[in-house]
């Protein structure tokens, strides 16, 4: 091969490579979507706020509305109150919610004794009449099944798509439908409601007997599965914002953005987590909730990953709102933040690509 032929062949190969690279680039632009640019991540951990005792002002007597009740249903009062932290900050107990504000679509029942919606099994469940919330008009319709202990509100790309219609008990479960394009971001606010507002404690069990504990630290939990294969698991981010009851605020140890209490309290789940004897004198530690936590742009880079828990650890082995429908939640895991018992308000996020 002479030098002229070599140069010609090299030129042809180079042109092929250039065209191929351009085609790959065009294809990548057509098939890959990175979503909106994220806001800058704040590496500075938020300051803690400390409270002691119960909320001093009740601003809502009861958010629970149960159309049908029986003595066995364990219908609890979901009140809302205000408490003042040691730095003067006034905090809503147990949390500011869309339910209290009356915003967003109410959840569609999978199982709800209050509304007498109790399908016998998954085969008896219909999603045909579940309203579809549009995020993207040309998106994919996704169906989800949700159980939260106790209250949830769910956002997709910052849009509120479902507000739990039963904030405390009896335990219920929900169905949601939304239309969206990938990538999209799911964000849940989940509240473990408390009867002793500000302490993170409830009366257990109900109805009250001589053996009932008047100051009992409850626990939380979130499980969800969606028709596109998305499930709750440890790939989610989960951050806590209200931790109690505590014998002392120093029981909470902050390592960066991780709020941990394991060393002082004995464990993350019942029966290992100790029940503090301080009762109405117990402390709680709070953190400000970011204003844009629902947004797809919110950068949760420094948030810890969610912890996974079993049915037994959550205490739902006899919960018909969940156990009647194993097929609908197959593959999903119960998740929460660092401490299942002491973390009372949690935000969980996941970007689906």
């Amino acid at each position: 091969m002479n030098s002229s032929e070599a140069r010609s062949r090299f030129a042809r190969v180079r042109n092929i490579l250039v065209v191929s690279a351009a085609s790959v680039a065009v294809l990548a632009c057509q098939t890959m979507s990175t979503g909106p640019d994220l806001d800058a991540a704040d590496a500075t951990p938020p300051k803690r706020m400390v409270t002691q005792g119960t909320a001093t002002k009740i601003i809502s007597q009861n958010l629970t509305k149960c159309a049908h009740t029986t003595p066995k249903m364990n219908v609890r009062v979901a009140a809302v109150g205000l408490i003042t932290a040691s730095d003067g900050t006034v905090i809503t107990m147990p949390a500011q919610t869309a339910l209290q504000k009356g915003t967003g679509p109410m959840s569609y029942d999978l199982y709800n004794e209050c509304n007498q919606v109790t399908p016998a099994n998954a085969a008896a469940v219909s999603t045909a009449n579940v309203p579809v919330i549009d995020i993207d008009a040309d998106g994919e319709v996704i169906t989800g099944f949700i159980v939260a202990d106790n209250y949830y509100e769910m956002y997709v790309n910052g849009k509120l798509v479902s507000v739990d219609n039963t904030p405390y008990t009896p335990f219920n479960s929900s169905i949601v439908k939304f239309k969206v394009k990938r990538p999209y971001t799911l964000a849940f606010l989940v509240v473990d409601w408390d009867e002793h507002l500000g302490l993170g404690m409830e009366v257990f069990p109900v109805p009250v007997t001589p053996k009932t504990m008047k100051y009992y630290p409850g626990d939380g939990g979130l499980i969800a599965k969606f028709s596109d294969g998305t499930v709750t698991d440890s790939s989610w981010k989960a951050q806590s914002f209200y931790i109690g009851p505590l014998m002392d605020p120093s029981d909470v140890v902050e390592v960066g953005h991780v709020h941990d209490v394991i060393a002082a309290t004995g464990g993350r789940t019942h029966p290992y987590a100790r029940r503090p004897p301080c009762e109405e004198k117990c402390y709680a530690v709070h953190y400000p909730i970011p204003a844009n936590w629902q947004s797809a742009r919110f950068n949760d880079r420094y948030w810890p990953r969610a912890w996974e828990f079993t049915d037994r650890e959550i205490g739902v082995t006899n919960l018909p709102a969940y156990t009647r429908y194993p097929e609908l939640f197959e593959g999903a895991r119960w998740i929460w933040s660092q401490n299942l018992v002491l973390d009372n308000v949690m935000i969980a996020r996941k970007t689906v690509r």
Side-chain angles (χ1 to χ4, degrees):
M1 181 187 300
N2 59 37
S3 60
S4 177
E5 290 173 332
R7 285 195 299 271
S8 177
R9 179 172 294 184
F10 175 80
R12 289 197 299 270
V13 172
R14 180 190 61 191
N15 290 339
I16 290 171
L17 291 174
V18 169
V19 170
S20 298
S23 299
V24 170
V26 170
L27 182 62
C29 290
Q30 292 174 340
T31 59
M32 295 180 63
S33 176
T34 58
D37 293 335
L38 295 180
D39 296 332
D42 187 359
T44 305
K47 70 169 186 177
R48 64 163 56 190
M49 298 169 287
V50 177
T51 60
Q52 185 179 23
T54 58
T56 55
K57 181 179 180 181
I58 302 301
I59 58 176
S60 178
Q61 293 293 329
N62 190 9
L63 297 183
T64 297
K65 296 178 181 178
C66 198
H68 170 80
T69 63
T70 69
K72 296 182 179 180
M73 282 174 56
N74 186 21
V75 180
R76 294 191 178 223
V77 171
V80 182
L82 300 177
I83 194 168
T84 302
S86 57
D87 67 353
T89 304
V90 177
I91 306 171
T92 301
M93 289 285 95
Q96 291 185 353
T97 64
L99 181 65
Q100 181 189 350
K101 297 174 184 176
T103 57
M106 290 294 100
S107 56
Y108 189 97
D109 292 325
L110 167 59
Y111 179 99
N112 190 334
E113 293 175 81
C114 287
N115 295 333
Q116 295 184 292
V117 177
T118 57
N121 49 46
V125 174
S126 173
T127 63
N129 295 324
V130 180
V132 178
I133 307 299
D134 277 353
I135 311 300
D136 300 307
D138 56 344
E140 170 189 1
V141 175
I142 297 172
T143 302
F145 303 96
I146 304 164
V147 186
D149 182 355
N150 299 107
Y151 166 87
Y152 79 88
E153 57 192 57
M154 173 186 165
Y155 298 78
V156 180
N157 289 350
K159 183 170 183 176
L160 185 57
V161 299
S162 185
V163 177
D164 197 344
N165 60 29
T166 307
Y168 204 169
T169 60
F171 287 100
N172 63 312
S173 50
S174 307
I175 311 172
V176 66
K177 276 187 181 180
F178 54 94
K179 184 185 289 188
V180 72
K181 294 189 298 185
R182 294 186 185 222
Y184 66 90
T185 299
L186 295 165
F188 282 84
L189 171 70
V190 192
V191 181
D192 176 28
W193 223 277
D194 46 5
E195 285 162 309
H196 300 292
L197 295 174
L199 298 179
M201 288 192 280
E202 61 187 46
V203 177
F204 182 81
V206 174
V208 174
T209 71
K211 295 184 178 180
T212 292
M213 284 182 275
K214 294 182 180 180
Y215 292 90
Y216 180 81
D219 54 18
L222 171 68
I223 191 168
K225 181 176 181 178
F226 300 89
S227 57
D228 66 348
T230 303
V231 295
T232 48
D233 58 21
S234 59
S235 69
W236 288 55
K237 293 296 188 75
Q239 183 60 285
S240 57
F241 294 92
Y242 163 27
I243 304 173
L246 303 167
M247 284 294 294
D248 191 285
S250 64
D251 290 347
V252 179
V253 178
E254 292 137 356
V255 182
H257 286 253
V258 176
H259 314 146
D260 204 358
V261 290
I262 183 66
T265 61
R268 303 185 190 279
T269 64
H270 291 303
Y272 309 105
R274 302 188 191 110
R275 182 167 62 93
C278 44
E279 297 186 345
E280 72 278 1
K281 296 181 180 180
C282 287
Y283 291 89
V285 169
H286 311 260
Y287 301 89
I289 294 178
N292 62 335
W293 65 267
Q294 312 96 326
S295 171
R297 292 179 56 92
F298 180 75
N299 196 329
D300 55 24
R301 173 184 174 185
Y302 294 105
W303 281 18
R305 290 195 179 274
W307 285 70
E308 294 183 4
F309 296 95
T310 66
D311 290 0
R312 185 172 297 279
E313 288 172 324
I314 297 288
V316 292
T317 54
N318 294 313
L319 188 70
Y322 166 67
T323 57
R324 281 191 184 184
Y325 318 108
E327 303 92 335
L328 303 184
F329 294 97
E330 186 176 1
R333 299 289 182 264
W334 286 95
I335 62 170
W336 200 250
S337 49
Q338 294 287 312
N339 194 295
L340 187 66
V341 177
L342 299 182
D343 292 353
N344 302 298
V345 174
M346 183 272 292
I347 291 175
R349 288 174 46 92
K350 169 80 173 181
T351 296
V352 181
R353 303 192 182 279

